[in-house]
Amino acid sequence: MPPSRYPPPLSLRCVAASCPIPITIMLLLVLYFSGGSGSPTASSPRYTQTGVYFNSTGTAAYASATLYNPAAAPTPNYFDSVPPGYTSPQAPAPLNRTSLNPSPRWDAAYTKARAYLSNWTLEEKVQLATGAGWQIGRCLGNIPAIPSQKFPGLCLQDSPLGVRLADYVSAFPAGINVASTFDKDLMYARGYAMGEEFKGKGANVALGPATNMGRVAAGGRNWESFGGDPYLSGWATEMTVKGMQDAGVQAVVKHYVGNEVERKREMSSSNIDDRTLREIYVHPFLRAVQSDVVSVMASYNLINGSWASQNAQTLNQILKTDLGFQGYVMSDWQGTHSGVLAAINGLDMTMPGDIVFNSGDSYFGYNLTAAVRNGSVSTARLEDMAERILAGWFLVGQDEGYPAVNFDSFRRLSTLNNSHVDVRADHDVVIREIGAASTVLLKNVNSTLPLKRPRSIFLAGSDLAPSPRGPNGFEDRGGLNGTLAMGWGSGTAEFPYLVDPLTAISYQARHDRSLLDWHFDDWDLKTLQARAQTAQADLVLVGVHSDSGEEYITYDGNVGDRNNLSAWNNGDNVVLAAANVSSNVVVIVHSVGPMDMEKWIEHPNVTAVLWAGLPGQESGNSLVDVLYGAYSPSGRLPYTIAKRREDYPADIDYVPVRGPPYQPQVNYTEGLFIDYRHFQERKITPRYPFGFGLSYTKFNYTNLLITPLTQTSNIQEHHSRNVHHAGASGGNTTQVGSSLTPYLQDPFYHVSIDVQNVGNITGCEVPQLYLSFPASTGEPPKVLRDFSKVKLWPWDAKRVEWTLSRYDLSIWDVAAQRWKIPDGEMGVVVGKDSADEGVKGMFCPGQC
Ligand code: BGC
């Protein structure tokens, strides 16, 4: 069940029984790195309204929709070279929002929105839907204030891991790391803390979370999202959205849908069959809608040949009808391709407003006004757009007491525009915990870890060191020459500081009276070996990394997507050089996604591997917590790490970045078989399976029970039972909300299991619930449905409980266009990871 409060019980969650770092030292570290004592709070400076900004000379300017000059007729030529693509099957916009699942919250918000809008002019409603234009206003996207209606405007700001382009904000762990905590409380806590920061800065709309799937291992933005499984992504999406919106900010779940590669993302067509689309790629968005997400960002790409921002099938039919989404759809930045068609097919807001950056025109703006006047777009549809946008604003309570914008993304030196409000509060605590909780222990020979006061430590690999350029030395983090703690692109924030591994390990070494020496030149391996030998170190810690990001930045030849899956900066050779001179090499990996470790993973001198992902500003502290056992490792891989790149089900088509093909076809031919689903289907042994992660202790699972909630009797382990139900029906898909009816979504089965800590160290375990559908369905051998994180003292046991809905037990019936529980026996496996045989049971939710 989702936690209902914040902060959740963080501090003692997976903290080991005996903490080797005295609390005082920890406190001192926190104080030291946060630059002072006490928790700074957001003060209340004289905020100006959204929409009013000051240019570099300090003159107040006003951003408004009248910016668009009708004389400058829009002549879009940006995609002239792109074949227009056909338009998706037409599906009408569901204007009558009478939902099958009436949400009292949305109903109340709509009542307010309708009342508020009652005297708005057509132009004012159009203005709500039209961004002011690129860099016009203080935020990445700006809906100008409408003084006549006392509407303060909207500030839309990146990113999924914190407030972008602002100071005195936190740099949270990336989405991929919070996914690898497999901890719903931490997912919520991170969302809530980020929401507080957006609110403190006066940003109404946070452009996150991102929840695209890790379909290809080298996908440049995979790290912004939640990995390779729709249910893990779904949980992370739900908890993040809830956290953010509970804190008062509007969440935007993105990029809807099929934006899984960066290369030519603005012109490629993701071709996805209906069942795969619903079961894999739409699923996390369904969970966002279930969590009352306010907004959805349409992706850049086309879907089955039709732009995502004007795709009637994905917007009007799936999102707004089947899922009954009540909020508004915005375009990605410059991702709108038409006015009338986009409006009719489901787009509610164009961002940043102009057709291309600084073009001074818009597909909406005066063009939408004209289209409504001449009947091309109905008044009812415009009304619907405006209601959706304002209902979202009311839903999260932004109509009262919301701070005005107090920073400026583009004029950061302007003293008039930037109040430098410190919004970080004590978020470093949750950041540090997520960093530790997301760290995955992949290898640990003879209990090398946790470290026990080593006498002498040698560090190697530039990943353990601070960057000589500082943590923000590359714009939007588009470069790497020190430790890696986030990827690059719009999904970033400025680090307020970055605790690198060297610094954190130094403090620990001082405490332990360890000797500490290092060599961070990744290319001078002879010196590395000589120095490591001279140090006579008990262990060599080697840091390696692999980076990627968004397409608009190319670094070292990587156009967003990675060109290869190997360690950057000679990483493999650094590990091998260390392993040739030391019999105790512990490798730390900071990576945006799966990385090839084959050159050294089985080397007998590589005794332990910690996979730290992208932990954010507290990186070194989080690492030390796990390395030395203050925090019991309980992170799990949110994707499969293969032995060979060819083992993955899909890869990037490295088409030329410039020139043809102008509309690359990205065919999702692997269908439902992404990530571990493919490896299991093809019986390919990965290096490490999805969901994998070791612990410093051991756990046992027993007593699996599967109980139909409509029946009273229990079903025992390995015991099958015929329970006859009428088969799940999603109802008529032309009805709004048919995929989220209580019939489909209410708890239908109860699954529980005993988990016991059978080792002698306190630790956290992550039992994972997988289903095996009847073979006739064509589903992958196993699919994840739920997971829990439980903390257990030595020999302590807990009962872990989950519920499954009819939807969870269904497949998408393409012919019938509805969710359906298949006939036949279904298997349940509760295991430690996707490959674990675990504890099994059978049941029959359909007809047997
Ligand atoms: C990205 C979005 C981002 C937007 C605004 C786009 O390039 O795809 O994720 O929110 O820019 O920065």
Side-chain angles (χ1 to χ4, degrees):
M1 288 300 289
S4 54
R5 68 202 170 84
Y6 176 83
L10 296 177
S11 47
L12 285 174
R13 295 163 49 79
C14 299
V15 176
S18 60
C19 169
I21 309 179
I23 296 292
T24 42
I25 300 264
M26 292 235 251
L27 282 175
L28 282 174
L29 283 176
V30 169
L31 284 179
Y32 175 82
F33 289 118
S34 63
S37 56
S39 297
T41 50
S43 58
S44 308
R46 301 270 145 248
Y47 297 123
T48 58
Q49 283 191 318
T50 307
V52 180
Y53 68 94
F54 297 90
N55 60 27
S56 47
T57 60
T59 324
Y62 210 81
S64 96
T66 53
L67 177 83
Y68 303 110
N69 171 10
T75 47
N77 56 12
Y78 187 54
F79 287 101
D80 269 2
S81 49
V82 180
Y86 80 96
T87 303
S88 61
Q90 292 303 301
L95 299 178
N96 172 6
R97 232 173 284 92
T98 317
S99 167
L100 287 179
N101 330 296
S103 152
R105 289 184 71 208
W106 276 109
D107 286 351
Y110 267 96
T111 306
K112 289 183 192 168
R114 286 196 189 105
Y116 188 23
L117 280 166
S118 63
N119 65 346
W120 286 41
T121 63
L122 192 163
E123 288 81 357
E124 286 167 345
K125 288 174 194 159
V126 165
Q127 191 172 330
L128 262 187
T130 312
W134 179 235
Q135 299 197 354
I136 296 177
R138 297 162 152 204
C139 304
L140 280 153
N142 302 273
I143 296 295
I146 305 177
S148 50
Q149 299 294 352
K150 297 195 171 55
F151 180 67
L154 294 175
C155 160
L156 291 76
Q157 193 70 7
D158 286 321
S159 78
L161 60 64
V163 185
R164 184 180 170 212
L165 301 178
D167 53 15
Y168 297 97
V169 299
S170 304
F172 287 84
I176 198 68
N177 271 57
V178 85
S180 79
T181 65
F182 277 65
D183 185 324
K184 295 168 193 169
D185 289 343
L186 287 178
M187 292 168 180
Y188 179 89
R190 173 177 169 275
Y192 193 96
M194 291 196 303
E196 286 186 322
E197 298 204 7
F198 279 94
K199 182 173 181 179
K201 288 286 183 189
N204 305 80
V205 184
L207 303 173
T211 193
N212 296 101
M213 299 302 307
R215 172 179 176 261
V216 286
R221 297 182 79 180
N222 286 2
W223 58 274
E224 291 186 44
S225 296
F226 303 121
D229 178 84
Y231 268 72
L232 175 61
S233 302
W235 276 110
T237 303
E238 172 174 336
M239 302 318 290
T240 306
V241 166
K242 281 184 171 156
M244 290 170 78
Q245 295 198 166
D246 284 354
V249 71
Q250 302 180 34
V252 183
V253 65
K254 68 189 187 183
H255 307 83
Y256 184 72
V257 60
N259 185 183
E260 269 76 34
V261 289
E262 283 304 284
R263 212 173 188 82
K264 289 202 158 162
R265 62 177 177 172
E266 290 169 48
M267 39 179 93
S268 60
S269 177
S270 298
N271 303 321
I272 316 175
D273 69 87
D274 188 33
R275 179 166 166 193
T276 302
L277 186 64
R278 310 277 182 149
E279 292 187 20
I280 308 274
Y281 296 94
V282 171
H283 174 79
F285 292 90
L286 175 142
R287 297 295 292 270
V289 173
Q290 255 180 328
S291 322
D292 290 335
V293 73
V294 167
S295 184
V296 171
M297 185 191 289
S299 51
Y300 278 127
N301 50 285
L302 301 92
I303 303 150
N304 300 328
S306 179
W307 297 109
S309 58
Q310 58 187 48
N311 191 312
Q313 175 65 13
T314 51
L315 297 181
N316 280 345
Q317 181 60 47
I318 298 179
L319 182 65
K320 289 184 173 176
T321 305
D322 294 357
L323 308 189
F325 172 56
Q326 311 271 304
Y328 60 94
V329 176
M330 69 173 69
S331 68
D332 201 338
W333 269 232
Q334 304 187 126
T336 306
H337 296 279
S338 63
V340 172
L341 196 62
I344 291 176
N345 286 357
L347 188 72
D348 301 299
M349 182 187 278
T350 185
M351 274 294 149
D354 30 19
I355 290 175
V356 293
F357 291 165
N358 304 318
S359 62
D361 50 15
S362 179
Y363 284 121
F364 281 13
Y366 73 90
N367 278 317
L368 183 56
T369 306
V372 175
R373 288 228 170 89
N374 70 24
S376 308
V377 172
S378 70
T379 317
R381 175 68 187 112
L382 176 65
E383 196 72 32
D384 176 52
M385 293 159 81
E387 280 179 14
R388 284 174 177 274
I389 294 165
L390 281 187
W393 186 66
F394 282 113
L395 186 95
V396 292
Q398 294 187 347
D399 52 315
E400 273 176 34
Y402 203 79
V405 184
N406 53 61
F407 69 103
D408 191 325
S409 312
F410 307 110
R411 288 154 288 266
R412 288 167 63 195
L413 294 181
S414 155
T415 46
L416 287 166
N417 287 8
N418 294 288
S419 315
H420 307 287
V421 179
D422 191 335
V423 294
R424 294 171 294 172
D426 61 353
H427 298 160
D428 57 295
V429 176
V430 71
I431 291 170
R432 179 173 179 163
E433 169 145 10
I434 294 171
S438 59
T439 299
V440 188
L441 179 64
L442 291 180
K443 182 175 179 183
N444 195 19
V445 179
N446 296 332
S447 300
T448 299
L449 300 182
L451 299 179
K452 298 141 201 109
R453 293 177 183 260
R455 291 209 70 201
S456 168
I457 309 169
F458 194 83
L459 308 181
S462 60
D463 184 69
L464 299 182
S467 165
R469 301 168 69 129
N472 301 312
F474 293 96
E475 198 177 337
D476 291 339
R477 312 299 81 77
L480 182 63
N481 66 349
T483 196
L484 176 70
M486 69 172 75
W488 75 70
S490 68
T492 53
E494 302 294 301
F495 284 106
Y497 57 81
L498 172 55
V499 183
D500 59 88
L502 168 65
T503 304
I505 292 167
S506 300
Y507 279 91
Q508 182 67 38
R510 181 178 70 186
H511 172 261
D512 292 347
R513 308 193 68 74
S514 305
L515 300 184
L516 182 65
D517 197 1
W518 58 82
H519 173 85
F520 292 133
D521 183 334
D522 296 320
W523 304 93
D524 179 4
L525 302 182
K526 281 210 160 53
T527 309
L528 160 66
Q529 291 183 317
R531 301 270 321 285
Q533 278 173 313
T534 312
Q536 299 180 39
D538 296 345
L539 80 151
V540 179
L541 271 176
V542 181
V544 293
H545 51 206
S546 168
D547 199 0
S548 73
E550 194 171 343
E551 163 250 49
Y552 70 90
I553 295 173
T554 297
Y555 183 68
D556 206 11
N558 298 270
V559 190
D561 302 317
R562 281 184 288 171
N563 287 340
N564 56 55
L565 301 181
S566 13
W568 286 29
N569 292 323
N570 209 23
D572 287 339
N573 291 327
V574 177
V575 177
L576 289 172
N580 282 342
V581 294
S582 164
S583 59
N584 193 14
V585 174
V586 174
V587 182
I588 315 295
V589 185
H590 285 117
S591 177
V592 287
M595 201 190 77
D596 182 347
M597 298 175 282
E598 292 307 306
K599 290 210 169 81
W600 43 264
I601 191 70
E602 286 182 0
H603 196 297
N605 293 346
V606 173
T607 49
V609 177
L610 273 179
W611 192 267
L614 302 173
Q617 70 187 42
E618 289 283 328
S619 175
N621 285 338
S622 305
L623 177 66
V624 162
D625 288 346
V626 176
L627 210 47
Y628 288 82
Y631 201 94
S632 187
S634 52
R636 299 291 181 262
L637 284 178
Y639 40 69
T640 299
I641 300 179
K643 290 184 177 169
R644 304 175 318 153
R645 187 167 182 173
E646 310 82 84
D647 289 347
Y648 290 106
D651 208 337
I652 290 170
D653 184 4
Y654 290 95
V655 291
V657 174
R658 297 192 197 295
Y662 290 112
Q663 201 179 92
Q665 302 300 304
V666 182
N667 298 319
Y668 287 42
T669 44
E670 72 289 345
L672 303 173
F673 297 88
I674 64 167
D675 204 272
Y676 65 92
R677 298 152 167 249
H678 160 82
F679 284 80
Q680 291 181 359
E681 172 74 4
R682 298 284 173 93
K683 301 193 169 35
I684 302 169
T685 308
R687 172 53 61 189
Y688 293 111
F690 171 91
F692 180 80
L694 299 171
S695 169
Y696 293 155
T697 183
K698 285 194 167 52
F699 300 92
N700 257 2
Y701 301 171
T702 46
N703 296 327
L704 173 65
L705 280 181
I706 309 162
T707 318
L709 289 171
T710 47
Q711 312 271 321
T712 46
S713 57
N714 289 344
I715 301 177
Q716 297 295 335
E717 194 172 336
H718 298 295
H719 177 79
S720 79
R721 179 188 174 91
N722 291 341
V723 184
H724 296 288
H725 293 290
S729 161
N732 184 341
T733 51
T734 57
Q735 282 180 287
V736 175
S738 58
S739 283
L740 286 173
T741 58
Y743 178 78
L744 265 178
Q745 298 291 342
D746 280 355
F748 182 49
Y749 269 85
H750 182 261
V751 179
S752 58
I753 192 151
D754 285 328
V755 179
Q756 186 176 23
N757 183 348
V758 292
N760 46 19
I761 296 181
T762 300
C764 280
E765 176 64 336
V766 184
Q768 301 162 30
L769 167 61
Y770 293 86
L771 292 183
S772 296
F773 279 74
S776 60
T777 57
E779 283 289 308
K782 269 194 224 169
V783 292
L784 180 74
R785 283 297 181 261
D786 211 338
F787 52 86
S788 288
K789 184 167 265 191
V790 271
K791 180 184 178 180
L792 293 167
W793 303 97
W795 299 99
D796 191 10
K798 270 189 194 139
R799 189 126 191 101
V800 176
E801 312 196 33
W802 299 287
T803 59
L804 294 167
S805 66
R806 286 186 175 84
Y807 168 85
D808 295 329
L809 302 173
S810 294
I811 60 168
W812 178 253
D813 184 329
V814 175
Q817 287 290 291
R818 67 184 175 98
W819 295 101
K820 191 179 170 196
I821 296 182
D823 291 340
E825 290 208 314
M826 206 169 298
V828 170
V829 185
V830 178
K832 294 174 190 301
D833 57 60
S834 59
D836 183 22
E837 290 293 308
V839 180
K840 291 183 178 162
M842 300 287 283
F843 69 122
C844 183
Q847 307 275 347
C848 283

